[in-house]
Amino acid sequence: MADLITVEDPDDPRLRDYTGLTDVELRRKREPAEGLFIAEGEKVIRRAKEAGYEMRSMLLSAKWVDVMRDVIDELPAPVYAVSPELAEQVTGYHVHRGALASMQRRPLPTAAGLLRTARRVVIMESVNDHTNIGAIFRSAAALGMDAVLLSPDCADPLYRRSVKVSMGAVFSVPYARLDTWPKGLESVREAGFT
């Protein structure tokens, strides 16, 4: 069971994963380098957990503690209870859903590995808007796609906005990055895709 820790100082170093969430450049560099991503909202947190992502910690407004009690009871990670005002100070925006979780990234599969078993694949080229990434993943899940392949310059599907817009679909559709572009498409053709 997780420890429920009340935090009243926005500079508390234990909240570092949640600081500056509105700074896109900071998040683009820091999250992959530190192996984390942020899940926002009850449904998305639950979907990330169900998909097998390890939780590093949770940041909850007090009213969300009871709602998330079943998740909290299963966690070995700390849960930080904060006021909505403190959450806004830490993150840099009003946390509408009152629940954030810092999740541990997993290694990405290879494109070749995904192509071995996939029948229907989405390929994204230079999609660098996080909202669009999330919307495409949500559509890919709805259409029953087996995998998503990203050109090297596509935005991060695990960026907070992408995850939120996808409603957690980024956890259910496997994806990989092609190492080179457009040369990486040769492996897609060799796997029998047109």
Side-chain angles (χ1 to χ4, degrees):
M1 182 168 136
D3 293 328
L4 186 60
I5 303 161
T6 301
V7 177
E8 297 175 350
D9 179 4
D11 296 321
D12 190 311
R14 296 174 293 185
L15 303 182
R16 184 175 186 275
D17 285 358
Y18 305 98
T19 57
L21 292 182
T22 58
D23 186 338
V24 175
E25 200 54 39
L26 169 72
R27 303 314 292 189
R28 274 189 195 147
K29 291 178 180 167
R30 192 173 142 213
E31 288 183 4
E34 294 180 23
L36 70 102
F37 69 93
I38 301 296
E40 181 177 359
E42 176 193 2
K43 287 179 184 169
V44 172
I45 292 170
R46 289 181 186 281
R47 287 178 181 164
K49 184 179 170 290
E50 289 165 9
Y53 285 92
E54 179 185 341
M55 198 172 300
R56 295 162 54 115
S57 67
M58 261 200 305
L59 180 74
L60 301 175
S61 296
K63 74 176 189 174
W64 285 94
V65 171
D66 287 339
V67 174
M68 299 297 288
R69 177 57 63 191
D70 61 314
V71 175
I72 293 168
D73 288 345
E74 295 177 4
L75 281 181
V79 177
Y80 304 113
V82 299
S83 68
E85 296 78 23
L86 189 113
E88 187 169 346
Q89 281 181 284
V90 170
T91 64
Y93 72 100
H94 179 68
V95 183
H96 308 296
R97 306 219 187 284
L100 297 170
S102 174
M103 310 295 289
Q104 189 67 44
R105 287 176 183 257
R106 296 190 303 223
L108 283 181
T110 64
L114 290 181
L115 291 171
R116 274 195 285 278
T117 58
R119 292 183 315 122
R120 296 172 29 156
V121 177
V122 172
I123 299 176
M124 290 191 229
E125 177 185 2
S126 301
V127 180
N128 48 37
D129 180 272
H130 294 102
T131 300
N132 290 343
I133 290 279
I136 293 168
F137 266 90
R138 194 169 171 181
S139 297
L143 294 170
M145 295 295 168
D146 299 312
V148 173
L149 299 179
L150 307 163
S151 68
D153 57 348
C154 279
D156 180 10
L158 292 181
Y159 182 75
R160 180 182 61 85
R161 182 79 181 144
S162 300
V163 172
K164 183 178 174 183
V165 170
S166 81
M167 298 282 298
V170 296
F171 309 133
S172 62
V173 181
Y175 68 93
R177 287 197 182 270
L178 294 166
D179 294 330
T180 59
W181 191 266
K183 189 161 178 56
L185 291 174
E186 291 174 13
S187 64
V188 178
R189 288 186 200 95
E190 289 167 5
F193 293 91
T194 54

